[in-house]
Every structure is written in structure tokens, then in C-alpha cells.
Amino acid sequence: MDRRKFLKFGAAGAAAATTGACADSSNADREAESAAESAPAPRRGAKELSMVTTWPKNFPGLGDMATRTADLIGRLTEGSVTVKVFAAGELVPPFESFDAVSTGAADMYHGAEYYWQGKAKGFPFFAAVPMGLTADEMLGWIKYGGGQELWDGLSAQFNIKPFPAGNTGQQMGGWFKREIKTLEDFRGLNMRIPGLGGDVLRRLGGAAVAIPGGEIFQSLQSGAIDATEWVGPWNDLAFGFYRVAPFYYGPGFHEPGPMLSCGMNLDVWNSLTAHEQLAVSTACDWATNQSIAEYQHQNALALNTLVNDHKVQLRSFSDDIWREIQRVSAEVISEIGQSDATTKAIYESYIAARGRAMRWSSVSDGPYLRARTLGTEYERKPAETPRQPASPAQNAPGNEPPADNEQ
């Protein structure tokens, strides 16, 4: 990656990053221009809303979700509601987005709910917790398992209406300068890992370090940290971690399917018509679906590049390590789950959904994914890796947003 571009995005992302990535901004710039051109002109008397985000301007992947959501709201309402997106720091600092929307200083935010853990202990369950739900399991709980109702109740205490609005899918375990073969290898390990994942690492004997995204590479290079997690192959490749930490561990235990979210000021939400409310929820759902598809595609391409071109060494933790991670994670999550009555209700619903999902996956996805790897040496391999499409993923055939009459 071009060093100047790296430093440019690193500086922009320093205040905002606990998840995310950096990449060449040309595609994002073209996408933003295309979105601006396609957005309908505001109607006379239209509601003009502001969306603050925790992402730097044109941030690939994560930041794109906010832009796509805002653009589609305008298109679905045919201009009766327009949304202007403000990157991190443009209107308010990134981690003040929640308060801005709660108080009405801004109308909407786009971020990750574990950023608001200081407001209420229950919020991380609506983003990601260690050894928790995968992306599709999370959607199942939110949409059909009672998660949305619990989320609504929690957020309403802060005058906010929340929606799922993105997901990066399974994240990786991180980049390590040395192999992690036993539990003893965690002792004294300085690792950049935020949130509840950091709490788990501390109980394993390591030191969890909070470092903004723009400082991670330099910290690895200087020896200030021994390891780091970020997102997945697509975003990790752009940051160039492979240059200083050759061992790439996966999957990650800390964020198995982190959901991104959009929160709207509750008074603003109640002021919308039924059609406008449907447009907002539809746009958020569409952004979620698109982000899952995009990360699936981009991560697969990037992993090939990391392994084939940069000779990255893929690793996975041993079964003994996984068992201890599971035990410690259960302790951390249970303790948080007993914080107060609201958090306890969320915790109990989440754990019940996780139990159902684990039983189903034990006879569905798990065995199938294992079986699919058997005998693959006999398959014919494609001549070359598919090229990255020139146009944004959401504009590819079959990925068009729903028309107003298709809701």
C-alpha cells in the first residue's frame, strides 16, 4: 500500500477506530460521487436529517455502509427525507455520536453499539461479544428472537430508535509476531484488542492495549505491541500488518459477527410518516445485506493475496486454547449480564439464542463446512482469481436497491 495513503487514512482514523480498515480511496470517492448524483432533489418541505458517524470520511467498507444507508433513504422516500452524512469529527467527535443523537444535536448515527458500553452494559450484545453470535445468527436473534424489542427498550432510555445497518462477518484472531502454541504464550503478550475481547485477553495473562487504528502499524513495527486484531483479510491487507507480524490467526473469538448499527433520535423517528419509517428500516436492512456480501467477497480475494503473494502463515489456536477462551469468555459475559435488570434480560435472551444456534449449526453449517473440504484436491481449479469488479458492489446486476413499489 502507498505509504502516503496509509498515513492519510491513519491520521483520519485515529480517533474513530476500534474496528475498520484503510484502503485506496478512489473507489470510495467514485461511489460517493455516484451516490450524490443519483440522490433525488429534496422536496419542498422535506425533512433534512443529519447522520454523524464513527468512521473517517470515505472509510472503505464501514464508512460506505453509512453513505449507502443515507442515500437509499432519500431514494426510497423520493426526496421527502434526505440525510447528510458527517464523518467522524466533522460535526461531533466520533464517540460523541450517541450523545449527539440522544440530545437531538444530530438526527442519526452510524457506528457499533459496543462503543456505548459506558452508557449501559447491555449495548455490546447488539454488536459483538466474545464467543457470541455469528452474523446470520445475530440477525436471527434481532429479527425473530426478541433481540430488536430488547434493543428498542434499552435505546429508548436514551431517546434513540436503533436498527441493524451493517455487518463485517467473521473477524480474524489477529496478527502475531510469534506463534501462539500454548496458553503460556499469552502471558505477557501486549496486544491491541478493544472492549470485552481485551477483558478476556487480560484474564489469559496478556495485556490489552487500546491503540487507534492509525497507530497500529507503527506500534507493531517499533515493538510497542506484539500482536493486533483489526477486522479481516480485506481491511488487514490494506494496513500491511503482514510486513511486521507474519503469523495470521483465525478465526477471531472476540467479534464473530459484529453488527453495525444506525440509531435515530426517537422524536425524529416518531415524526416520520409510516412510509418514511418503512424507508428507513428498509435502507438499513439493505445496507446490512450488502455489507455481508461485500465482506464475504473481498475477504476471500484478499486472503488469496495475503497467502499467495505475501506468504502469510495462517494459524489457528489449539483446542486447549479454544476451551480456555470459551471458559473465560463465558465468565466475562456472565458478569456483565448480571449488571442490572435490563442487561440481565438482554443477556438471558442472547444466551438462549446462542444455545439454539449452536445446536442447529452442530448439525448444519459445522458438519457441512467440514465435509466440503474433503476431497477438494480432486476438484478442477479455476485458471485465475476473479478480478475485482470495477463498479461498486451495490451497483452490480442483481444488487440494485429495492424500488419504492417493491417494499
Side-chain angles (χ1 to χ4, degrees):
M1 180 180 182
D2 183 276
R3 178 61 53 184
R4 287 173 296 179
K5 291 178 181 176
F6 176 88
L7 293 174
K8 173 184 175 183
F9 269 99
T18 59
T19 62
C22 170
D24 188 334
S25 62
S26 59
N27 285 340
D29 290 339
R30 288 195 297 269
E31 182 175 331
E33 292 170 1
S34 175
E37 292 172 358
S38 63
R43 293 180 183 175
R44 182 183 298 274
K47 303 177 180 73
E48 299 182 16
L49 308 183
S50 58
M51 177 190 286
V52 291
T53 79
T54 57
W55 324 118
K57 190 175 182 64
N58 295 334
F59 207 51
L62 297 168
D64 293 343
M65 297 178 206
T67 302
R68 294 172 185 174
T69 304
D71 175 54
L72 189 53
I73 289 171
R75 293 161 65 184
L76 289 176
T77 62
E78 296 183 336
S80 72
V81 176
T82 60
V83 181
K84 183 175 181 180
V85 178
F86 293 89
E90 287 187 335
L91 192 60
V92 297
F95 298 130
E96 292 182 19
S97 299
F98 183 92
D99 285 340
V101 174
S102 177
T103 61
D107 301 306
M108 306 172 69
Y109 69 73
H110 191 277
E113 296 297 275
Y114 48 49
Y115 292 155
W116 328 132
Q117 183 179 345
K119 303 294 181 182
K121 296 293 186 182
F123 277 119
F125 291 97
F126 302 105
V129 298
M131 302 302 286
L133 299 173
T134 63
D136 56 343
E137 292 169 353
M138 175 68 89
L139 282 176
W141 176 56
I142 291 293
K143 296 292 186 179
Y144 295 100
Q148 184 68 58
E149 291 78 7
L150 290 165
W151 194 10
D152 285 342
L154 177 63
S155 297
Q157 298 177 26
F158 302 91
N159 199 38
I160 289 174
K161 166 63 179 174
F163 305 89
N167 199 306
T168 67
Q170 176 68 56
Q171 294 199 358
M172 289 291 280
W175 297 85
F176 295 77
K177 290 187 173 182
R178 64 176 187 269
E179 290 187 86
I180 305 297
K181 296 181 178 180
T182 70
L183 286 166
E184 287 299 313
D185 292 324
F186 282 106
R187 298 194 178 279
L189 181 77
N190 290 319
M191 182 175 182
R192 186 272 180 190
I193 181 171
L196 300 181
D199 292 340
V200 172
L201 179 67
R202 293 185 190 97
R203 297 195 187 192
L204 294 175
V209 182
I211 296 177
E215 300 176 13
I216 298 176
F217 183 90
Q218 293 92 332
S219 297
L220 274 174
Q221 192 174 44
S222 69
I225 56 175
D226 308 308
T228 186
E229 63 77 44
W230 190 232
V231 181
W234 179 28
N235 295 159
D236 293 2
L237 171 63
F239 260 14
F241 297 136
Y242 62 87
R243 296 174 179 169
V244 288
F247 300 105
Y248 197 25
Y249 276 78
F253 69 87
H254 59 301
E255 294 187 34
M259 185 173 72
L260 285 303
S261 56
C262 177
M264 177 175 282
N265 179 277
L266 192 57
D267 296 327
V268 173
W269 169 254
N270 290 331
S271 74
L272 301 180
T273 67
H275 173 76
E276 291 167 344
Q277 289 182 346
L278 180 60
V280 171
S281 61
T282 299
C284 290
D285 284 344
W286 182 76
T288 297
N289 292 336
Q290 287 299 303
S291 66
I292 291 174
E294 184 175 35
Y295 270 91
Q296 175 67 25
H297 174 73
Q298 296 284 10
N299 279 335
L301 291 179
L303 184 63
N304 284 339
T305 299
L306 287 168
V307 174
N308 297 335
D309 297 349
H310 301 299
K311 311 305 177 187
V312 166
Q313 300 183 55
L314 293 177
R315 296 288 188 273
S316 182
F317 301 124
S318 69
D319 286 351
D320 287 342
I321 291 176
W322 276 115
R323 290 188 184 95
E324 184 64 6
I325 288 175
Q326 169 64 23
R327 186 189 69 79
V328 173
S329 296
E331 285 183 356
V332 169
I333 302 309
S334 177
E335 289 171 8
I336 290 177
Q338 309 308 313
S339 300
D340 54 78
T342 299
T343 304
K344 184 176 181 181
I346 294 169
Y347 166 77
E348 290 177 349
S349 176
Y350 186 98
I351 292 301
R354 180 178 175 271
R356 294 190 298 268
M358 288 174 63
R359 184 168 188 179
W360 167 233
S361 64
S362 71
V363 298
S364 58
D365 292 352
Y368 171 73
L369 292 174
R370 178 184 176 277
R372 192 171 65 176
T373 65
L374 302 177
T376 54
E377 66 270 22
Y378 300 112
E379 295 181 0
R380 294 184 61 183
K381 301 298 189 293
E384 61 180 25
T385 301
R387 288 192 305 118
Q388 170 65 25
S391 58
Q394 73 272 24
N395 291 332
N399 285 342
E400 295 82 1
D404 184 52
N405 59 1
E406 293 177 346
Q407 297 172 19

